[in-house]
Each structure stands twice: as structure tokens, then as C-alpha cells.
Amino acid sequence: MKEWWVQVGLLSVPLLAVYLHIPPPKLSPALLSWRSSGGYFNYKDQNIFYRDSTGAVGSSDIVVLLHGFPTSSYDWCKIWEGLTQRFHRVIALDFVGFGFSDKPRPHRYSIFEQASIVEGLVRHLGLRHQRINLLSHDYGDTVAQELLHRSLQPLMRWLLFFLSRLVTRLLPCRSELFFFRLGAVFGPYTQPSQAEAISRLCSTSRHRPLRNNRFLFSILQYINQRKKHRDRWVGALMSTSVPLHLIYGPLDPVNPHPEFLQLYKKVLPMSTVSVLDDHISHYPQLEDPTGFLNAYLNFINSF
């Protein structure tokens, strides 16, 4: 098994390519539609993009989606419609520094700030006293763990992709290399096209051009924050009575099978787990949206 820092180091290449070296492509029609169907709220003078769809009639359930690094809320596009058929409200945001949200420079980006932004969005939408489900992936997992540590009410159910902490190397690259490296975290039968791979990040790069290494280093401080606050965030998972569920792609190079799954079950024996098909990797909501959605709804409907 390769060292985990080598696996995760591959993820830094597409980030650097898009943020620093590649002229941003035009927004695809799908991304334009995604942006036009959303809105903004203000958090401490920062404009934060979010989508809020009203779905199932007769349901009062709400789900808030927290995206991963280094992408955006668009990661949830393939399961959005399915979620609206089960939940009364389906809500997603772009964290500050990502997607269509503001990208201030200089700025001290932190997981704590992102968690406060989620809390701010909940207040903005008048949902502070409502029961909320969280669905998170990658970077969003750590934000969810901070919210769990704060015992944010009225959160009742959480789905967590509990991924290992990330370490990255900063290397220059070309667009073809960016596409190749992103493909490394998708399964062999679920590879994105080059156009799709680039479009997943172009909202982040195009909304406000990013060509400053300081910005990149500032965003990547979450890696050090994960190390520094590991006891706080892992401890929140271990001590909570909130139901937890993991949806896992066995081919994930960041969290290799079976070692990761064995560790997860050892650390969090109270969590339930869904394992998808053998060829599913790091982005299960994109690689197998039907299997992912079924696994999530089975968990939600079990209460």
C-alpha cells in the first residue's frame, strides 16, 4: 500500500493547475444553470453561494450538503433531484474560498469559520429550530465534525464520509496532468471526461481569478488544522449519540480497502456502513449516484 501522503499528494496537482496555472474555461451550461438556481447570503461581508430547493410534499425533513476539497456544491448535482423526492428542503453551499462564494485575499481560512458559515446559513434560512440532517464529503466531513463538537442543535442525523487527513505537495502542472490526477481518485469504469473534470473546478477558478500562492497556502491550512485538532474532531465522533453512517467506495486510493474500513469500524463501532461496488472510488455520489442515494435513504428511513 502506498503511503497515504503520496496518494493524497496527487490531489494537489489538479488544485494547483486550476488555481494557479490554467486560464479558467467558460462556465458550462450546467454550471450556469446551477448558479442561476441559487442565491447568496452575507456572512461577515463575504458573499456565500447556496442552493435551496423545496422538494417532497408532506415531508418536514431537511438536509444540508457539505462539499469536499477542492470542488463545490456542484458535487451533489447527480443526486439533487433524488434528494428532493425525499426531503422537504435540500440545501447546499459553497464554502468561502470555493465555488461561487467569495475568495478573500489575504484571509485566514479555517474549518472553524466554515462551520460558523453553515450555522449562519441555517439562521439566514430561518431553520435554527428545525431538525436538520447533514450529508458531507471530504473537506466537508471536518466541518461536520466541528459542528458535531459544538453540539449544534437541532441536528439529529448525520452522514459522514470520514476521510483521513490530507497532506499535499505543491507542484506545477498542465491541464492534461490535472485531468489525469483527478482521474486517479475515480474508479476505472467511472472516469470523468476531461471537460467534466475541468468544469468541476472552473466555478472555483473563474468566479474570482486566483493566481496567488498565498491564497493556496491559506486554503490548505485545513490540513494542519486537522492534525492540531484531531482529538477534538475524532473525539466528537466517538462520544456522540447522534447516528452516524459511512458510505464507502472500496477503490478509494485515499482510504484504501480493507485497512481504512477496519480502522473506521474499530474507532466508531456504533456507526453503520454501506459498501458500494468494488469499482467505486473517492467520489461515490458522482460515480454511483443511484447506489449512493439508495444507501443514504435506507439509512435515513431506518429511523
Side-chain angles (χ1 to χ4, degrees):
M1 181 182 71
K2 293 183 179 179
E3 294 290 342
W4 63 271
W5 57 268
V6 174
Q7 296 284 3
V8 179
L10 297 176
L11 299 180
S12 68
V13 178
L15 176 66
L16 188 67
V18 172
Y19 276 54
L20 303 178
H21 296 286
I22 299 177
K26 293 182 179 180
L27 294 179
S28 67
L31 274 173
L32 287 171
S33 176
W34 188 264
R35 183 176 63 180
S36 66
S37 63
Y40 291 85
F41 84 102
N42 188 272
Y43 177 83
K44 295 185 177 180
D45 297 325
Q46 305 297 337
N47 291 314
I48 305 300
F49 175 82
Y50 71 95
R51 290 191 78 201
D52 179 10
S53 295
T54 301
V57 176
S59 172
S60 60
D61 289 344
I62 301 165
V63 62
V64 174
L65 314 177
L66 307 180
H67 70 80
F69 171 92
T71 47
S72 70
S73 59
Y74 190 59
D75 283 353
W76 306 109
C77 64
K78 290 187 177 182
I79 63 169
W80 193 269
E81 183 178 355
L83 290 173
T84 62
Q85 295 174 12
R86 169 59 178 80
F87 291 93
H88 174 59
R89 300 274 289 277
V90 180
I91 301 163
L93 76 159
D94 290 348
F95 294 124
V96 66
F98 296 82
F100 295 117
S101 291
D102 280 354
K103 302 165 185 65
R105 295 180 294 172
H107 188 76
R108 298 189 64 169
Y109 292 89
S110 75
I111 294 298
F112 300 102
E113 178 187 40
Q114 306 289 20
S116 295
I117 289 173
V118 176
E119 293 177 315
L121 177 60
V122 169
R123 289 192 298 269
H124 173 76
L125 297 176
L127 302 175
R128 189 174 182 181
H129 301 294
Q130 300 294 317
R131 184 176 67 185
I132 295 174
N133 304 282
L134 282 187
L135 175 59
S136 67
H137 175 237
D138 191 78
Y139 181 93
D141 299 338
T142 311
V143 179
Q145 288 170 258
E146 171 57 22
L147 290 169
L148 185 60
H149 177 81
R150 297 179 186 186
S151 299
L152 178 63
Q153 298 298 324
L155 299 178
M156 295 297 293
R157 297 194 286 258
W158 300 62
L159 173 81
L160 296 176
F161 291 79
F162 180 59
L163 304 182
S164 60
R165 71 175 70 86
L166 302 183
V167 171
T168 183
R169 294 174 62 193
L170 304 180
L171 300 173
C173 67
R174 298 162 54 234
S175 60
E176 294 83 359
L177 188 55
F178 150 71
F179 167 66
F180 173 76
R181 294 310 188 190
L182 184 61
V185 292
F186 280 74
Y189 310 116
T190 56
Q191 290 286 306
S193 66
Q194 184 168 1
E196 181 184 9
I198 294 175
S199 73
R200 294 227 157 263
L201 291 176
C202 78
S203 65
T204 297
S205 63
R206 188 174 182 81
H207 183 60
R208 186 172 293 177
L210 308 173
R211 298 181 179 279
N212 191 322
N213 281 315
R214 292 180 181 177
F215 175 87
L216 181 60
F217 281 114
S218 185
I219 285 284
L220 290 173
Q221 286 306 304
Y222 84 93
I223 299 170
N224 293 330
Q225 292 164 24
R226 278 180 167 180
K227 294 178 181 178
K228 181 177 179 179
H229 302 289
R230 182 185 184 279
D231 291 345
R232 174 188 179 100
W233 291 331
V234 175
L237 294 175
M238 295 176 66
S239 60
T240 186
S241 59
V242 171
L244 305 173
H245 189 70
L246 168 74
I247 299 179
Y248 180 62
L251 211 58
D252 187 346
V254 181
N255 304 285
H257 185 272
E259 292 87 352
F260 169 76
L261 202 55
Q262 292 169 350
L263 177 61
Y264 181 88
K265 291 179 177 180
K266 179 180 179 180
V267 174
L268 299 172
M270 69 291 195
S271 173
T272 53
V273 176
S274 295
V275 180
L276 300 180
D277 290 344
D278 290 345
H279 64 275
I280 303 303
S281 186
H282 187 70
Y283 279 87
Q285 74 273 38
L286 295 173
E287 299 178 65
D288 184 11
T290 299
F292 176 93
L293 187 63
N294 287 339
Y296 179 57
L297 294 183
N298 286 338
F299 166 66
I300 289 294
N301 293 333
S302 66
F303 297 94

